[in-house]
Amino acid sequence: MPGSPLVGWAASLLVALFGGVLRFVRLGEPRAVVFDETYYMKDAYSLLVHGVERTTLGTVEDPVADQRILAGNLDVFKHCVVPADCASFVAHPPLGKWMIAAGEWLFGMNPFGWRFAAALVGTLSILVMARVARRMTRSTLLGCLAGLLLSLDGLHLVLSRTALLDIFLMFWVLAGFACLVADRDWARERLTSWYANAPVTPAGPRLGFRPWRLAAGLCLGAACAVKWSGVFFLIAFAVLSLVWDAGARRALGLRQPYRGTRAYDLPGAVGALAVVPAVTYLLSWTGWFATDAGWGRDWERATSSTPAHFVWESMRSWVRYQLDVLGYHSGLDQYHSYMSEPWEWPVLLRPVSFYYPPDLPPSACGADKCSQAVHGVGTPALWYGAALALIALVTWYVARRDWRAGAVLLAFGAGWLPWFYYAIADNRTMYLFYMMPVVPFMVLAVTLCAGLVLGGADASPNRRALGAAVVGSFTLVVLVNLGWLLPVLTAETITYAEWWARMLFGSWVTAAPK
């Protein structure tokens, strides 16, 4: 890795600090329950207090319960004589809600508290982005560019300031990918050392314990424990890691590289990228196993006999619960005014209105009509640039078989293409923010193309100057674009005319209450 490690870390931390300022300033605004926070902040508090999700007085999305919580009244959670009567059926695994609960434990049951973990994870993801891009490009400049661009994405900003699950899914997916990239370097270093210092065999050596791949398994298991859609990335990255192993052995000139991968790399990969994620996912349900108040727990039946019977009945109840959740997701086809199709997402045709109060007084902005909005939408300049960059990566990969282009394209496809099946086969209700886990890979696509535009170290000064001007201009456009949209991303009170001016398409307007 060229350059000073100290400079690399310092620059990455500065970029993350910039992104953190955008995410933490006015984090408690709006002082309201924003979009699906009504589910997750309550589930998180219930996990914190009871170990499992429990219902509130009325229905879980009851606005009266929301107002009582905002007023500091936390008696909305039922205290049943029979705990199972309060059990809440939830559609997503618990880990993301446990992470939200950590902020509520630290700062209280208020908007800042339930959004704190999202802002922290969003900020950390900027740091991870900078570090993995630096490792992939061997350039501190490009690493910092990647971190900066991620910090300037509107959808990333909104979800970092909202207690929804998708920012946590994105973080664990990105962290898992970063660990696999580090494992790729680690494995190649071990192979090179073996080749230089030991007798060469046709298939190559065993590489032994691989800590980075184990860490990747933990991260990807955590992604699945936030949302089931993490499994798409888990499968794709497991295959990618084995392909990298085979490629490393082949690049070394071994006569039987694939046999070496099958015999020496595959068993460890199964452990790290199958067993470890499964165990991680199961452990995220510890609260459900340890209490008698979870949905479908069948506690009395499980405890009616021997310890072995307890384990068997508990696992059977848990598997039945997972099947119930699968059935719920398969039948999720109700119309929603903010729903959109996956082929609309890359061009931002229909954002999600997270917050738009209808009755602001004119005195709030000094005009006849005021607006205060949180639109869940990406920064258009960045997203349209990423669309072009992804097309360029296809050409680059076909022409050069560059591993970086292939990895980014695979990750983007793993997070986007499966939704086409659900749109066509199940007519499922879906939203733009389902793209959140692939936004880092869109940024990586832009970063890799920026490296091509900048040119190599041997490029002429004029070539480098022209490339720097192009990349710098694009970054400036993204920065200005986010600055222009910032009021409708962070619930600033502005005039209705100012709000209207920021609606790029008519569909952006119909995605907000009138």
Side-chain angles (χ1 to χ4, degrees), residues 157-366:
L157 176 65
V158 168
L159 290 174
S160 296
R161 297 172 57 88
T162 314
L164 270 65
L165 300 181
D166 301 81
I167 196 72
F168 303 108
L169 172 62
M170 179 279 305
F171 173 78
W172 290 117
V173 167
L174 177 60
F177 178 79
C179 289
L180 286 181
V181 172
D183 175 73
R184 181 184 184 276
D185 284 354
W186 181 92
R188 289 182 171 238
E189 183 179 352
R190 290 289 294 269
L191 280 172
T192 302
S193 177
W194 166 82
Y195 190 81
N197 299 293
V200 176
T201 57
R206 297 181 185 275
L207 296 180
F209 177 66
R210 297 172 65 165
W212 282 114
R213 188 145 73 177
L214 179 64
L218 287 169
C219 292
L220 295 171
C224 296
V226 173
K227 273 192 167 184
W228 277 13
S229 51
V231 75
F232 301 135
F233 294 97
L234 173 61
I235 295 171
F237 291 170
V239 173
L240 180 64
S241 181
L242 287 171
V243 169
W244 283 347
D245 286 343
R249 292 177 184 271
R250 183 182 177 189
L252 207 59
L254 302 179
R255 294 201 304 271
Q256 298 177 347
Y258 303 110
R259 185 172 73 84
T261 297
R262 186 173 61 253
Y264 302 143
D265 300 325
L266 179 59
V270 170
L273 299 176
V275 176
V276 170
V279 172
T280 302
Y281 179 83
L282 186 64
L283 289 175
S284 73
W285 289 86
T286 298
W288 185 89
F289 282 107
T291 66
D292 60 350
W295 177 274
R297 183 63 184 90
D298 289 343
W299 182 266
E300 292 183 2
R301 181 173 179 176
T303 56
S304 63
S305 184
T306 64
H309 182 269
F310 173 81
V311 173
W312 168 255
E313 289 296 337
S314 297
M315 288 301 300
R316 189 169 72 168
S317 299
W318 180 76
V319 170
R320 186 175 67 242
Y321 190 179
Q322 307 306 300
L323 294 175
D324 289 343
V325 173
L326 178 62
Y328 169 83
H329 284 299
S330 299
L332 192 62
D333 58 0
Q334 293 181 341
Y335 173 81
H336 195 287
S337 57
Y338 308 150
M339 64 187 290
S340 56
E341 304 294 351
W343 45 85
E344 299 176 308
W345 297 343
V347 290
L348 301 172
L349 285 184
R350 193 166 187 79
V352 177
S353 178
F354 280 40
Y355 178 74
Y356 194 100
D359 300 318
L360 287 177
S363 59
C365 65

